[in-house]
Structure formats: C-alpha cells, structure tokens
C-alpha cells in the first residue's frame, strides 16, 4: 500500500509523498467536470479531487453558491455529484464513490438527472438468518463480532466502507502497542476463517424493522467501474433476520454554524485527518481548526506534522487541554482560547475559503474580527452518535448535556447500541463496549460468552489533561446578525434566519419547523443539520435541547436506488403469469390477450383488417347464428368432498343445493353476512358426497378462502374438505345453435338431443380414449355444451373439437364476445356489474334466494331495513335512443332533462353504467346499469352525460336477447 | 416486517398471513331472533381496543389454517398465539 516511488502524482499536488491506504503503484484516470484527472485504487472521487486541489465541486440548490467536499463519508452535505460513466446516476456523494478507471462525473446544482436509458445492470436480494448481526466494522463492531464469532454463534458483520476499520482507517491509533490496522487485519482474518460468520464490506445497513429485520444494500461491483462483470449483480439487498442486533455505527462529527460557513475548503476536522491518513491527501497547505472539544487537536497535530501550516486552533472554550497545547506549541501551532469563527472570506469567485474571521467567544464582538488566512477551515462542534437504526426501531433518545448529543435511552429487546453510537468517544471505551455488547447479545440468544481479551488502547498522553467540551450550535456574526448566510442545512440552503422565521411564526414542534424550513429533508436527511437545528431552536425558544428533541429517524439511512430495491422482481418476474393449457394455440391464432388477475385470456381473434369492434361483432354473430368455442379454463373450480358437502353448499349458497341430484348442475349465488353478492357460478353434483363448485375467474381464491373460513372457524362439525382444481381442469364451452352438430360428431355414443341430454345436466364421455366431462351449461342463452378435460389432454381435445367443428364454421371467440353475449342475456358479472353493495334482489334474482331454507349466509340481512328499501339500485338494461352511442362504462345516470342541458352541480346521480357494448344481435349499442328503483323505471327515458352532451337512454329489462329462453335447447 | 408465530408452522414473516379481525365473535345461534340493531352490530361493529386484544389470523400462504392471537395494538407485539378451540390465554 505504501508508495514505492515516493513522489506525489502528476496533477495531484496535494497527495502526500507516502502513506495512506491507496495503491500508488496503479493509476486510475477519470474525468470530472470535463477535466481529466488521476487517482489510485483505494481513492474515493472526493479524495482524488482533493488531491488535485479541487474543493469546489457543486453549487447550491436555491442560491447557486459554490459548495465543496465537507466530509469523508456519508455525512457529507456538500460534494453532491452526478455520475455519467459507467452509467448515469444522480445525487451521489463524491465522498462515497470509490474511484474507478474511466469514471466520468460532474458536480450538481442540488439536483441531478436520471439515466435516459434503461439500466441493464442486475440487482438481486438475499436472505440471511443469524444469531447476532453487528452493524459497523469499527473498533467496537470488530470486537463485538470477534467475541460473538468465538461463541459459535451465527454472526453477520456488515460495514458500509470498502474495508473494515471505521475511524481507525483515518487515525494513528495504536491497539496492543501496534498500529490499529494490524489489529483490524487480525480480526478480519479470524472472521474470514470462521465458518458461521458472514462479513460484508461495502454494505450499508439502511433500515431496521420489526423483530430483528435489518435491510442492507451491498455495492458489489460499483468500485470496478466499467470493468464490472456484467453477469454479477451490481447491488444486492440483504434481508437480515437477526435474533439480536449490535449497532456499532459510530458517530458523525458535527460542524458549528456561522456566517458563510459553506465556502469550499470548509470541512469537518476529522474528515481532513481521514483524507491524510487513509488517502494520503492534504486538504490544503494552510488550515485553521475551529473546535469546541479536545478531539480536533489530534487533527491539528497530524496535519502540522504532515507539513500543513496550521494557522491556529480556535477553541471556543476558555481553557484548552494543556497536553495538546504543548504538543502543538512544539509543532509551531498557535492555540487561541475563548475565540470563535464568526465568518469567512473567499476567493473572488467564491471557489475557496481564504480566511477565517475570528472573534471573542463571549458573544459581544466589540472589535472587527481578525482574519486568519487558510485554504481549509476545519470544524469540530462535537459528535452525533449515529443512532439511526436504533431510532428506526422506536428506541427512545435522551439528550446528554455533556456531549451535546442525543444517545440511546434504553435497551431494546433485540438491539444493543455500542461504542460511539452509544456516546462512548474514546478507543479503549469503544473496544470495551464492543465486547460488552457481544456478551449482552449472546446472553439474549442463550449462548455463553467466551473469554476474549479486550485489547489495550491507551489514550494519547496529550489527552491526560483533557477539558470538557462545550456545546455550541451557532455563532452570531456582527456582519450577518440575522444569520441570512449562516447555513444550517447546506443541501437545502436553509439558514439560521429560516429557523428564526419558523419560531417567530409560532412553531414549537421540531417536525413542523423541519417541514417549514425544509431542514433535514434533503439527500443527507439531516445527518449533520438535524441536531444543530434542534439546538438552535432550543436556544431561540429558551428551552432545554432535550425538550426540543429530534425529528423521527426513518429508513433509508442513505439513499437506495429503486432498481436495487426491485431486484429481480421486474419485467417477467414482477408477477406470475398464468396461462391456460391451450395458450400456445391462441397465440398462433393471433389472439389479442387481456389480463384477468394473473391470467392471460384471449380477448378476441382479429382477422386481417379487423379492429376489436369488428372482430367482436363477427364472433358474436357466429355464436348466435352458428357455433363458437371459448377457452373457459380460467374459471375457478373447487372440489368439495365429504359427507356434509351438501350441508355446506346449502349454508354458503342462497339457494338450495343439497336437493341437486348427481348428474345435474345448478346456478348459485353466494352472499356475505351483509347480504351482498360475493360470487356466483354453477355447481355440479358429482356424487352424493361430492360437488364441483365453479367460481368466477377472479373470485376463485377468495371463494375457497371464504368457505374454508366458515369450515375452520364456525362449522367445525361439518366433515367437508375443499381442494382447488382450477388448474387441473380445462373447460371449453362449445356454444351456438349448431353446437349440437359438433358435439354429436365428436361423441357418437352420446345422446345429445334436448331430451337425452337435458339443460343443466352433465355426463361422462370419452374422446379418443381420454375421459371428458360434458355439461349443458350456457352463459350466452344459446344451446351450449361445455367440454371439460384434464389439463394434460387439453390441447389434443381442443384440436379435435376444432377439427370436428370446421365443417360447421366453428369460430373461436374471446372474453370480449363472451361478455357481450352474457350481457345481452342480462347475466351480471360479479365485480363488474356489482360492487359489494348489491343484493341478489337488486340483480332481479329473487328466484335464486331460497324461501325454504331456515338459514344460509346473508339471509338475515335481506330483511334489514336498508336491504329491503324499494328505491335501491337495480340491475337494468339501457338502450341509447340514438342507436349509436356506446356509453362509456362508469358513466353516471341522471334524471331526464327536458332541455337536454346538464344543470349546474350538484346534480342528483341516479346510478351508473356497469357494462356497455355494441350488439350484433340487436343491431345497436346497449348497456347494463345499476339504477335507483330501476325496475320501476323500465320504459322511461333517462340521461347519461357523455362528454358535453346528454345521451338519452331508454331503461329496459336487463334481458335484451331471447327473454323467453327459447334458444337454450337449440 | 414482523414475525408471527403460527401455532402449526412456527415463526414466519407477516406477509405470509392474512388478518381476520376480532376473535371470539361467535356467529349468532339464531340470526332470525335478533333485532335489526343486534344483527347490525354483529355484522358491522367490532371493538377498537387500545392495548391487548384478541384477533384472528390466517396463515394464508403457509398451512392456510386460522388461529387466534393476542396482540398489543400500541406496540403491535404479539403476546400469545393460540388455536381457535383454545380459550383466550390469561396474560400476566
């Protein structure tokens, strides 16, 4: 990893001579904003840009102010970029993009652009079940994972960076007397060798849900750029179900707000340290460090040691830690106590900070602030524990005054928060906390904790005389008293003044202030700004920060692409497609299909030059005058067996089914408890103890569940079993006046006469040695025979029927024709002509409701006052008097208007059109409708608004073709 | 996503289940004997409890069996699952 050549790269003047985790033996070329630059494997886009001296990468969304890289990972609120190559992706942080050869990107003005081309990358998902999930591979997480792994538990460790180590990657810490990364390597090697451990880097746990479910996204190939293997999933969503979760997600440093705090070159202090130690990059040649706590002193010392001219450490506290003051004094760095940064100056184009303006911390700057020259202004306002996953799991937070931060206030049943995420900010404490967290997790899952030594990590000697931090949210500036350019949320260009306005408008709840100011609603979801906003609000309202609180943390922790979440569930795999056994034949015939639930059904079979209307008129005429065939295999079929099968049928159907003889078929309607029609269909009695229930295509699953519910929860005494046989049977209605000729030709042994094969009866037969079931059922009013056969033999049986029908002009017809034919006969489709508020009586089907049965589901509701009303909506037919208009389904029906003009609203709506078609048989369009007191209005004219005109329609009986039923026997 | 402990199959993800409303609402022995109001209450009215309440579930994409559960409506936590023919358990 160390540099073999010992010189900074060309075009990367801020790369150190040596050190860091980048591979200096290899050079990567990339393009940013039209400029060709170089970096090394191990760089992020941000580190490579900083190495080239580029801080200014973006501009702000509302004000267009220059913005720069402000952090070294996901908490950055400045370095927002768009990637163009290898694939366009908007709204990414330069600090989290691993550099790849050929990367092309540019900065964004707050908003990006989605790819105009389809994403051909693969995404997938995987389930993982573990005893202990550790989130975060910093010191606490690694120690926790090691202890958990040694117990024999099944463990997962996920971490969002390219390599394990967390904060250790950007520090000079020692563990057990050696560089900390040696310890990291030792632990990761041990985890890699453990068989029950899954260790995933580049994997962000972005959401924590109920019962130990954590979702994480693994970036598998992004770091490979254009070299990513196409066959490998680019990103993977891990659905990790853990018996116990150890959250070791660390803490985010937070800035202090002051005027012009958004100048490029202004960044979090420890980000600068990370860029130095991890990436070998100096963020500037001259720096000012502004701090409220001891942690930033190590930053100043490391930068000074690396050759950066640290102009001053500006400490808001009255006293600085003496050990660090001495250390910095040796390095020639001045420490100013009791001072704060109140503003900045920048280059004329705003490209880079040039000065930090410093004044006294006592809040009464009497004199002109002093200007300290710098190229980098490094801020440390304290640390915010990354409590996102804990808070998403509804863990309560408590404000700790000493830290100026919200920390977990309770131990959740399935989650333990350790290390910096729990408010422990020293290395030794984090290692200790990791071990203790693992012990707690193992105890919760019932495993013994093995004895594992906690490695030694003594504090820096300079920390010996530590000073307590102060909490400082924002600093007033004499030049900007309202805080107009004191940015709280840089991504939203939201300022201290915006908060003052919200509070001034009377808002006290942080959720309201968030929405009013938009603070915390941008890409970073307030990782750095949320708690500062809470602190500023508390100050303005004069209440404790604890009372101001936080807004709710919600997943995802960092943005996740929709394509990633969709995974493989797209295109053909989005939803199952169900096809009938003869689907290929319909495709060959050029059928147009429609989706009915998950089923593909042939809607019509257009011949050359035909549109749907022409095809359907032709198919309808063929069925009414000759013979047609339909693939009706999608109808739901439920095999009902058992000694009490007849009793069950009587209880769920409104009519008497138990009196049905084997060999016969009966139409029935099912209602809910409320008396409203649930489903309808025919019932065949196959034997004394066996029925075959036919349901609507869409109602099949629900009817099975419905009957099952009654059997399991109420009628446990009934001995009946139910089995879906929808897919086992193919059903082909052969329909029309000439259907008898076709069936007679196919089944010479069957007496197909009206007397020999009565309406609503069924018989067994064979066709070419294949057993089939024939039934005289009609959904069109025409003579019809239904041929049912095992789906295995569906195609040959279909082929034989088609061949036998050829001399008779047998015409295949689709669902649209089926709909027209049934509507002409006034047969409702449950769910189209009904909507859950319609009784059998509303449909004009009193005849299907048994008067004899003492009980069936829904019976009691028929005598409820509302159900018995005379002015309920009835199913009727509608005939447009112009004989031309096909009423749009869903059209409203209003009373007849003499003037033919739609009155101003409100207009009383009397009902609506439920089905509407052009009828070949009637030679005109017609419709079915639900109309108030409809049966009493037959013969009257009402109006249907269609567009800007009122269409006059005559109300009729719903049965418009063959009302006498003369055709059913041929 | 919660885990629901099916009494027959064990813990499974909640997407495998369908909700069935309030438990222990017996179908009236003689609906015809009820007034419209009484019948209307059976058909349309259910309790709306804050805290522990007994409800029905069905393991719809698993064993397809119905069962009862006591759940805390504040926290969604399942306190107990039990078979339909069991009494509602008394919780501490």
């Amino acid at each position: 990893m160390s540099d073999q050549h010992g010189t900074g790269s060309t075009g990367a003047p801020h790369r150190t001579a040596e050190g860091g985790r980048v591979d200096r033996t290899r050079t990567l070329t990339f393009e940013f904003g039209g400029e060709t630059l170089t970096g090394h494997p191990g760089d992020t886009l941000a580190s490579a840009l900083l190495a080239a001296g580029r801080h200014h990468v973006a501009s702000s969304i509302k004000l267009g102010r220059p913005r720069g890289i402000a952090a070294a990972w996901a908490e950055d609120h400045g370095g927002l970029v768009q990637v163009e190559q290898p694939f366009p992706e908007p709204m990414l942080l330069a600090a989290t993009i691993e550099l790849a050869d050929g990367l092309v990107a540019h900065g964004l003005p707050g908003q990006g652009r989605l790819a105009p081309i389809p994403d051909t990358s693969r995404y997938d998902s995987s389930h993982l079940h573990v005893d202990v999930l550790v989130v975060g591979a910093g010191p606490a997480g690694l120690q926790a994972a090691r202890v958990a792994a040694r117990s024999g538990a099944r463990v997962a460790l996920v971490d969002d960076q390219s390599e394990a180590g967390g904060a250790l990657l950007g520090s000079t810490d020692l563990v057990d007397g050696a560089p900390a990364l040696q310890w990291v390597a030792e632990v990761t090697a041990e985890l890699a060798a453990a068989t029950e451990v899954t260790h995933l880097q580049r994997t962000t746990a972005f959401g924590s849900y109920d019962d130990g479910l954590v979702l994480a996204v693994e970036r598998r190939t992004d770091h490979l750029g254009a070299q990513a293997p196409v066959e490998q999933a680019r990103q993977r969503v891990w659905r990790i179900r853990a018996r116990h979760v150890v959250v070791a997600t660390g803490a985010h440093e937070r800035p202090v707000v002051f005027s012009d705090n958004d100048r490029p070159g202004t960044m979090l202090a420890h980000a600068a340290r990370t860029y130095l130690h991890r990436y070998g990059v100096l963020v500037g040649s001259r720096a000012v460090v502004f701090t409220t706590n001891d942690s930033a002193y190590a930053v100043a010392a490391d930068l000074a040691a690396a050759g950066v001219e640290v102009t001053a450490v500006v400490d808001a506290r009255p006293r600085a830690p003496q050990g660090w003051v001495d250390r910095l004094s040796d390095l020639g760095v001045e420490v100013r106590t009791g001072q704060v940064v109140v503003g900045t100056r920048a280059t004329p184009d705003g490209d880079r900070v040039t000065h930090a303006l410093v004044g006294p911390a006592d809040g009464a700057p009497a004199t002109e602030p002093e200007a300290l020259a710098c190229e980098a202004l490094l801020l440390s306002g304290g640390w915010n524990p990354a409590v996102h996953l804990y808070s998403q799991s509804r863990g309560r937070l408590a404000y700790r005054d000493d830290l100026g931060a919200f920390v977990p206030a309770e131990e959740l049943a399935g989650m333990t928060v350790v290390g910096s995420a729990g408010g422990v900010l020293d290395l030794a404490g984090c290692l200790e906390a990791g071990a203790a967290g693992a012990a707690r997790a193992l105890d919760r899952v019932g495993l013994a904790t093995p004895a594992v030594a906690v490695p030694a990590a003594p504090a820096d000697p300079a920390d010996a005389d530590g000073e307590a931090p102060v909490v400082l949210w924002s600093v007033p500036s004499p030049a900007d008293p309202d805080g107009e350019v004191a940015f709280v949320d840089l991504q939203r260009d939201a300022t201290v003044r915006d908060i003052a306005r919200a509070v001034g408008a009377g808002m006290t709840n942080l959720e309201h202030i968030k929405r009013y100011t938009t603070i915390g609603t941008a890409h970073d979801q307030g990782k750095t700004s949320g708690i500062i906003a809470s602190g500023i609000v508390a100050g303005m309202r004069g209440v404790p920060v604890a009372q101001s609180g936080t807004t709710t943390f919600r997943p995802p922790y960092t943005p996740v692409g929709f394509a990633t979440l969709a995974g493989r569930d797209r295109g053909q795999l989005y939803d199952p497609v169900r096809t009938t056994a003869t689907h290929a034949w319909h495709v060959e015939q050029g059928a147009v299909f429609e989706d009915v639930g998950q089923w593909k059904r042939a809607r019509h079979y257009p011949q050359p030059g035909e549109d749907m209307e022409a095809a359907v008129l032709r198919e309808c005429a063929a069925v009414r005058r000759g013979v047609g065939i339909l693939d009706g295999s999608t109808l739901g079929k439920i095999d009902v067996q058992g000694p009490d099968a007849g009793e069950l049928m009587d209880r769920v159907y409104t009519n008497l089914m138990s009196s049905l003889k084997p060999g016969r078929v009966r139409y029935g309607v099912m209602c809910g408890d409320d008396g409203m029609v649930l489903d309808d269909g025919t019932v065949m009695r196959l034997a004394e103890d066996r029925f075959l229930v036919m349901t609507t295509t869409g109602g099949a699953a629900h009817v099975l569940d419905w009957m099952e519910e009654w059997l399991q929860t109420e009628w446990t005494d009934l001995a009946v079993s139910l089995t879906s046989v929808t897919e086992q049977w193919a059903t082909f209605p052969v329909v029309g006046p000439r259907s008898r000729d076709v069936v007679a030709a196919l089944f010479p042994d069957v007496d197909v006469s009206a007397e020999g094969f009565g309406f609503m009866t069924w018989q067994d037969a064979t066709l070419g040695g294949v057993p089939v079931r024939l039934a005289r059922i009609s959904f069109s009013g025409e003579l019809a025979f239904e041929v049912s056969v095992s789906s295995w033999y569906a195609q040959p049986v279909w082929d034989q029927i088609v061949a036998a029908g050829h001399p008779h002009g047998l015409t295949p017809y689709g669902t649209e024709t089926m709909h027209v034919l049934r509507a002409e006969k006034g047969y409702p489709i449950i769910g189209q002509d009904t909507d859950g508020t319609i009784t059998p009586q509303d449909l004009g089907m009193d005849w299907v409701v048994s008067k004899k049965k003492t009980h069936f589901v829904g019976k009691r509701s028929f005598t409820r006052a509302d159900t018995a009303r005379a002015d309920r909506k009835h199913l009727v037919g509608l005939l447009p008097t112009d004989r031309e208009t096909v009423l749009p389904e869903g059209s409203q029906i209003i009373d007849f208007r003499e003037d033919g003009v739609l009155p101003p609203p409100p207009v009383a709506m009397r009902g609506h059109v439920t089905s509407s078609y052009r009828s070949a048989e009637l030679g005109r369009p017609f419709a079915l409708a639900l109309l108030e007191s409809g049966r009493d209005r037959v013969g009257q004219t009402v109006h249907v608004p269609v567009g800007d005109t009122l269409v006059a329609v005559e109300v009729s009986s719903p049965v418009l073709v063959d009302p006498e039923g003369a055709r059913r026997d041929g | 996503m919660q885990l629901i402990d099916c009494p027959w199959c064990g813990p499974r993800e909640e997407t495998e289940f369908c909700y069935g409303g309030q438990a222990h609402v017996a179908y009236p022995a003689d609906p015809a004997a009820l007034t419209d109001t009484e019948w209307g209450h059976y058909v349309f009215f259910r309790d709306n409890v804050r805290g522990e309440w007994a409800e029905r579930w069905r393991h719809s994409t698993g064993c397809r069996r119905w069962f009862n559960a006591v759940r805390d409506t504040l926290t969604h936590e399942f306190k107990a699952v039990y078979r339909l023919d069991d009494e509602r358990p008394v919780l501490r």
Side-chain angles (χ1 to χ4, degrees):
Chain A
M1 289 289 170
S2 67
D3 178 27
Q4 304 301 309
H5 311 289
T7 54
S9 314
T10 313
H14 295 271
R15 186 77 69 177
T16 57
E18 58 180 15
R21 307 285 293 167
V22 295
D23 176 6
R24 297 180 193 229
T25 62
R26 290 167 55 205
T27 297
L28 305 175
T29 304
F30 69 102
E31 194 183 307
F32 187 80
E35 195 181 345
T36 301
L37 298 165
T38 60
H40 300 295
D43 263 324
T44 60
L45 175 57
S47 66
L49 288 170
L50 293 172
R54 281 198 64 157
H55 276 254
H56 174 194
V57 298
S59 56
S60 74
I61 187 162
K62 283 195 292 197
L63 305 173
R65 288 171 67 105
R67 292 285 162 79
I69 295 155
W73 193 243
E75 65 273 29
D76 188 15
H77 53 221
L80 202 59
V81 302
Q82 164 104 25
V83 167
E84 296 293 356
Q85 294 287 343
F87 188 79
E89 197 169 356
M91 305 292 280
L92 298 174
L93 291 172
T96 61
I97 298 173
E98 288 187 56
L99 195 67
D101 213 29
L103 179 77
V104 178
H106 56 84
L108 283 177
Q111 278 179 328
R113 181 179 50 80
L114 287 170
I117 52 170
D119 186 352
T120 54
S121 297
R122 293 166 64 116
Y123 301 88
D124 66 13
S125 66
S126 189
H127 289 264
L128 188 60
H129 294 261
V130 295
D131 295 312
V132 179
L133 166 65
V134 180
V135 182
L142 285 170
Q143 181 67 18
R146 176 181 237 178
V147 172
R150 286 197 189 168
S151 77
R154 182 170 290 183
V155 176
L157 171 65
V158 302
D159 182 87
D160 56 358
Q161 306 238 4
S162 58
E163 57 177 323
L168 300 176
L169 292 165
S171 79
T172 55
D173 289 310
L174 300 178
V175 172
D176 277 343
L181 294 183
Q182 275 185 28
W183 176 78
V184 171
E186 200 182 290
V187 177
T188 51
E190 180 180 329
L191 296 176
T195 52
E196 292 296 323
V197 175
T198 305
H199 177 190
L200 299 167
Q201 288 296 142
R202 299 188 171 98
T203 304
T204 305
F206 63 83
S208 169
Y209 305 86
D210 293 307
D211 294 331
L213 180 67
V214 171
L215 296 192
V217 60
E218 180 188 10
R219 294 169 293 279
R220 290 158 57 81
T221 67
D222 288 355
H223 60 289
L224 303 174
Q227 275 71 53
V230 290
E231 71 280 5
Q232 194 177 356
R234 180 187 171 213
Q235 297 183 351
R236 170 174 292 167
V237 172
W238 287 89
R239 303 175 201 283
I240 307 169
R241 185 69 78 165
R243 296 172 68 197
H244 200 89
V245 180
V246 176
V247 175
T249 45
H252 297 142
E253 199 171 22
R254 80 170 167 251
V256 178
V257 173
F258 48 82
S259 286
D260 294 317
N261 58 338
D262 63 334
R263 309 283 202 201
T266 307
M267 68 165 59
L268 295 170
H270 281 79
R273 194 176 186 224
T274 298
Y275 284 119
L276 170 62
H277 293 309
R278 183 170 177 185
Y279 301 105
V281 171
L282 298 172
V283 297
S285 50
R286 256 208 292 199
V288 167
V289 176
F290 174 28
T291 188
T292 63
N293 64 87
D294 289 358
S295 75
Y297 281 84
V299 178
D302 288 1
L303 290 178
V308 175
E309 183 191 330
V310 179
T311 317
V313 172
V314 178
D315 194 326
R317 299 172 294 180
R319 279 196 320 189
Q322 196 53 49
W324 282 108
V325 172
D326 295 344
R327 173 91 56 91
L328 289 179
S329 171
D330 293 346
L331 289 160
V333 176
E334 180 194 7
V335 175
R336 294 162 166 244
T337 55
Q339 295 195 359
V340 290
V341 174
V342 299
T344 63
R345 282 188 206 141
T347 51
D349 57 3
D351 206 39
R352 188 73 178 267
V353 65
T354 59
H355 294 84
L357 304 179
V358 174
D362 56 21
T367 53
E368 187 70 13
E370 190 180 346
L372 302 180
C374 62
E375 286 181 343
L377 174 52
L378 309 177
L379 311 176
S380 183
W383 295 86
N384 297 330
V387 294
H388 302 70
L389 296 177
Y390 165 84
S391 183
Q392 289 167 14
S393 290
R394 303 192 197 98
R396 281 188 303 109
L397 296 172
Y399 182 73
R400 260 179 63 182
D401 272 314
D402 59 328
L403 294 178
F406 287 89
V407 297
E410 60 185 328
E411 169 105 4
L412 299 180
M415 182 178 281
T416 303
V417 183
V418 300
S420 306
V424 177
L425 296 178
D426 66 300
L427 177 56
C430 284
L431 292 166
E432 196 72 57
R440 233 163 10 248
L442 292 171
D443 185 51
R444 288 291 176 83
V445 303
L447 290 168
T449 301
V452 181
V454 177
D460 191 298
D463 280 325
D465 306 314
E467 295 288 336
V470 294
V471 176
L472 186 62
W473 308 110
S474 66
V475 176
S477 163
D480 177 25
D482 294 340
E484 198 174 337
V485 287
F487 293 94
V488 179
D489 186 336
L490 275 72
Q491 295 198 336
R492 287 289 189 219
D493 273 339
T495 63
V496 171
R497 187 179 68 167
D498 294 329
I499 295 180
R501 278 188 183 152
V503 173
M507 289 175 215
T508 55
N509 185 311
L510 201 62
E511 299 283 1
H512 295 156
I513 293 166
K514 168 182 174 174
R515 281 150 186 83
Y516 184 81
T517 60
T518 71
I519 287 172
T521 62
H523 179 269
D524 72 340
Q525 291 285 290
K527 284 189 179 60
T528 53
S529 62
I531 284 157
I532 294 176
S534 177
I536 293 173
V537 167
M540 288 178 182
R541 293 181 52 215
V543 300
V545 179
Q547 192 180 326
S548 185
T550 65
T551 55
T552 307
F553 291 81
R554 292 195 182 85
Y557 168 68
T558 49
V560 182
F562 281 116
T564 311
L565 293 174
R568 303 292 297 275
D569 298 332
R570 55 195 295 185
Q572 284 201 315
L573 297 178
Y574 176 66
D575 199 32
V577 171
R578 301 174 80 182
T579 57
T580 68
T582 56
H583 184 73
W585 188 91
H586 308 302
V587 173
E588 267 171 41
Q589 297 296 309
V592 173
F593 290 88
E594 70 169 332
D595 292 335
V596 182
Q598 292 169 332
W599 288 104
K600 294 283 178 202
R601 297 199 70 180
R603 191 173 190 192
H604 58 101
Y605 300 81
Q607 292 189 350
E610 281 185 338
D611 59 6
M612 184 169 95
E613 185 172 301
V616 170
L617 286 172
R618 173 181 53 75
E619 290 173 13
C620 284
V623 175
R624 290 255 183 251
R625 287 158 210 167
V627 58
I629 185 168
L630 174 79
D631 185 356
S633 304
T634 65
L635 278 187
K637 304 167 204 82
I638 301 167
D639 193 340
V640 180
Q641 294 191 49
D644 296 318
E647 176 65 20
L648 173 69
M649 295 290 93
D650 275 352
R651 294 190 194 183
V652 295
Y653 280 101
T654 58
N655 50 345
L656 199 62
M657 285 292 181
S658 57
S659 61
L660 190 65
K661 301 268 186 293
R664 294 193 169 267
V665 185
R666 190 167 287 167
Y667 172 80
V669 168
M670 284 183 196
C671 290
D673 265 339
D674 55 2
M676 304 303 154
V677 177
L678 197 86
D679 203 70
D680 73 340
T682 54
V683 176
M684 285 183 186
R685 189 156 203 168
L686 303 180
E688 200 52 45
D689 61 351
R690 189 170 183 190
F691 292 79
L692 184 67
V693 166
M694 312 281 256
T695 74
T696 57
T697 296
H702 180 59
V703 170
L704 180 63
D705 288 343
W706 175 246
M707 295 200 290
E708 192 70 54
E709 178 181 347
W710 285 102
L711 284 174
Q712 286 189 34
T713 66
E714 290 292 342
W715 305 329
T716 52
D717 55 320
L718 294 190
V720 187
S721 63
L722 308 172
T723 308
S724 167
V725 291
T726 301
E727 306 220 335
Q728 280 67 28
W729 286 96
T731 300
F732 308 134
V734 180
V735 185
R738 301 190 66 183
S739 59
R740 181 170 283 131
D741 300 338
V742 177
V743 175
L746 284 164
F747 300 96
D749 299 339
V750 176
D751 177 359
V752 294
S753 68
E755 303 72 37
F757 201 149
F759 185 59
M760 297 299 261
T761 66
W762 63 270
Q763 298 183 23
D764 282 327
T766 58
L767 187 63
V770 174
V772 300
R773 181 180 293 146
L774 298 176
R776 288 261 332 264
I777 298 170
S778 179
F779 195 40
S780 60
E782 300 297 332
L783 174 69
F785 293 82
E786 268 186 16
V787 182
S788 294
V789 61
S790 160
S791 294
W792 288 107
Y793 302 109
Q795 192 58 58
V797 165
W798 175 274
D799 291 341
Q800 288 177 76
I801 301 170
V802 168
H806 189 70
H808 306 281
L810 180 76
T811 301
Y813 69 96
T815 51
E816 192 66 18
T817 293
M818 175 191 80
H819 283 151
V820 178
L821 298 174
R822 64 89 204 174
E824 289 172 342
K825 281 288 289 180
Y827 296 150
I829 289 189
I830 306 308
Q832 173 166 340
D833 299 297
T834 70
D835 60 3
T837 67
I838 301 300
T839 65
Q841 295 85 350
D842 297 338
L843 295 173
M845 289 190 186
D846 297 73
W847 53 268
V848 87
V849 178
S850 168
K851 306 284 186 291
K852 279 187 262 175
K853 285 198 288 184
T854 55
H855 175 253
F856 56 86
V857 176
K859 179 180 171 77
R860 173 65 184 81
S861 286
F862 294 145
T863 54
R864 289 180 61 239
D866 184 67
T867 326
R869 268 190 300 124
D871 62 345
R872 289 183 63 84
K873 287 179 181 171
H874 299 151
L875 184 73
V876 295
L878 296 181
L879 292 166
T881 55
D882 64 4
R883 304 183 70 92
E884 188 47 48
T885 306
V886 181
L887 301 170
E889 289 174 358
S891 295
Q892 295 294 325
I893 302 167
I894 64 171
D895 292 327
F896 184 75
R897 302 282 306 171
E898 284 296 343
D899 57 5
V901 176
L902 186 67
V907 183
M909 294 184 284
R910 302 301 181 195
H912 66 279
V913 175
T914 59
S915 296
S916 180
Y917 313 96
R918 198 177 286 283
S919 168
E921 184 73 6
L922 300 171
R924 64 188 292 183
F926 73 105
L928 296 178
L930 291 168
L931 177 63
E932 270 176 29
S933 308
R935 282 194 289 278
D936 306 326
R937 292 183 177 225
V938 170
Q940 295 178 12
T941 304
V942 293
H943 266 141
V944 174
V946 178
D948 292 331
T949 58
L950 295 187
V951 177
V953 299
E954 185 191 330
V955 180
S956 73
S957 153
V959 188
L960 292 161
V961 169
D962 185 28
E964 310 78 26
R967 298 184 177 188
R968 68 167 210 216
D969 290 327
Chain B
M1 182 172 353
Q2 282 188 270
L3 291 177
I4 298 177
D5 193 9
C6 171
W8 285 273
C9 304
R12 296 287 189 276
E13 297 206 327
E14 68 181 87
T15 50
E16 294 188 13
F17 296 83
C18 284
Y19 185 63
Q22 186 172 354
H24 308 294
V25 181
Y27 192 76
D30 184 6
L34 302 185
T35 65
D36 272 9
T37 304
E38 287 165 341
W39 175 251
H41 272 87
Y42 164 72
V43 175
F44 300 112
F45 285 62
R46 292 294 181 269
D47 296 340
N48 186 15
V49 171
R50 185 180 193 272
E52 285 176 9
W53 101 308
E55 61 192 11
R56 306 188 313 159
W57 285 85
R58 177 165 56 96
H59 193 187
S60 43
T61 63
C63 63
R64 297 181 53 220
R65 302 284 291 174
W66 284 86
F67 60 94
N68 289 338
V70 175
R71 185 176 59 94
D72 188 323
T73 60
L74 283 176
T75 62
H76 305 310
E77 186 190 350
F78 281 79
K79 299 289 189 182
V81 293
Y82 55 105
R83 292 160 55 143
L84 295 175
D85 45 4
D86 292 338
E87 294 285 311
R88 174 174 172 165
V90 178
L91 301 171
R92 294 157 276 105

